[in-house]
Amino acid sequence: MDAQKLYEMMKKVQEPKGYYFNQDRQRTFELLEALITNKERYGYMGCPCRLVSGDRDNDRDIICPCVYSVPDIEEYGSCYCNLYVSKEWNEEKIPHEYVPERRPPEKIKF
């Protein structure tokens, strides 16, 4: 799968839920390419902004879109990676603040 196909597929699923891709297309496509790389490496699309352990059960919470994206977007208008954002974030109606890591440290395995 290429990044454009992934973009179109994920857009159809996420936009009706109120989650939009970052309008910075270069950033968005870099992240989509990283998701594809993780899929090829590990067999699942682990979050490109986090360390993926290769243990699907351990990483279940960070398979894109990760479980942390919903509270991140609700609170900050963007997920941790800035891949998924709210409409207001894209329209610059809300500040683009740093999104802190919500994943518990004990889940991070090297």
Side-chain angles (χ1 to χ4, degrees):
M1 177 176 301
D2 69 11
Q4 185 63 43
K5 282 185 182 177
L6 183 59
Y7 176 89
E8 291 166 12
M9 184 180 74
M10 292 175 82
K11 183 177 178 173
K12 284 180 194 172
V13 173
Q14 298 304 325
E15 279 193 4
K17 298 176 185 177
Y19 307 123
Y20 300 86
F21 281 121
N22 186 333
Q23 66 184 357
D24 179 343
R25 287 185 63 87
Q26 181 178 345
R27 171 84 174 145
T28 296
F29 276 81
E30 286 171 357
L31 291 168
L32 291 172
E33 291 288 350
L35 283 172
I36 292 166
T37 298
N38 282 346
K39 172 83 171 160
E40 290 167 356
R41 246 183 227 160
Y42 305 109
Y44 54 93
M45 291 194 301
C47 177
C49 298
R50 294 182 168 100
L51 288 173
V52 177
S53 71
D55 177 346
R56 187 183 187 104
D57 288 335
N58 182 70
D59 293 341
R60 196 168 301 281
D61 61 326
I62 60 168
I63 294 175
C64 188
C66 74
V67 300
Y68 311 106
S69 64
V70 172
D72 285 349
I73 294 168
E74 286 175 5
E75 188 171 346
Y76 298 98
S78 170
C79 72
Y80 183 68
C81 295
N82 303 133
L83 177 62
Y84 287 112
V85 300
S86 68
K87 190 174 184 180
E88 294 77 21
W89 194 93
N90 260 345
E91 293 172 352
E92 299 190 18
K93 293 180 179 174
I94 60 173
H96 293 186
E97 296 180 41
Y98 171 76
V99 179
E101 174 64 274
R102 290 182 193 264
R103 192 173 198 217
E106 62 272 10
K107 293 283 289 178
I108 301 169
K109 295 182 179 178
F110 299 96

